[in-house]
C-alpha cells in the first residue's frame, strides 16, 4: 500500500509504503510522481517504509 503524506509544498512529494506493493500501487504512485514533475519541474521525494514486504511480480 502507498499512502501520500501531506507535504505542504508543491515541489515536495511524501509517501508511506508498506505491506506488499502491487502493480496498481505502482501505477498510482507513478501517475502522482509524473504529474508533480509536470507541474513543478524539479521535485524532492520522501518515502517512509513501514512493515514493507517488497512488491508482487506485476509491480516489479
Amino acid at each position: 500500500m502507498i499512502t501520500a503524506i501531506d507535504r505542504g509544498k508543491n515541489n515536495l512529494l511524501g509517501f508511506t509504503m508498506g505491506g506488499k506493493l502491487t502493480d496498481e500501487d505502482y501505477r498510482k504512485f507513478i501517475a502522482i510522481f509524473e504529474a508533480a514533475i509536470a507541474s513543478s519541474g524539479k521535485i524532492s521525494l520522501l518515502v517512509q517504509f513501514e512493515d514493507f514486504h517488497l512488491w508482487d511480480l506485476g509491480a516489479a
Side-chain angles (χ1 to χ4, degrees), residues 10-23:
N10 290 339
N11 64 340
L12 174 62
L13 292 180
F15 296 93
T16 300
M17 295 186 182
K20 192 169 195 175
L21 301 184
T22 66
D23 185 47

Side-chain angles (χ1 to χ4, degrees), residues 2-60:
I2 300 175
T3 306
I5 299 171
D6 184 22
R7 57 200 186 273
K9 294 184 179 181
N10 290 339
N11 64 340
L12 174 62
L13 292 180
F15 296 93
T16 300
M17 295 186 182
K20 192 169 195 175
L21 301 184
T22 66
D23 185 47
E24 182 180 345
D25 292 328
Y26 178 74
R27 290 178 191 272
K28 287 179 183 178
F29 170 75
I30 291 299
I32 294 168
F33 185 78
E34 288 177 343
I37 291 173
S39 173
S40 299
K42 190 175 184 178
I43 63 167
S44 296
L45 177 65
L46 168 70
V47 179
Q48 178 179 340
F49 293 94
E50 295 180 353
D51 195 30
F52 185 62
H53 297 279
L54 302 176
W55 44 83
D56 66 16
L57 186 57

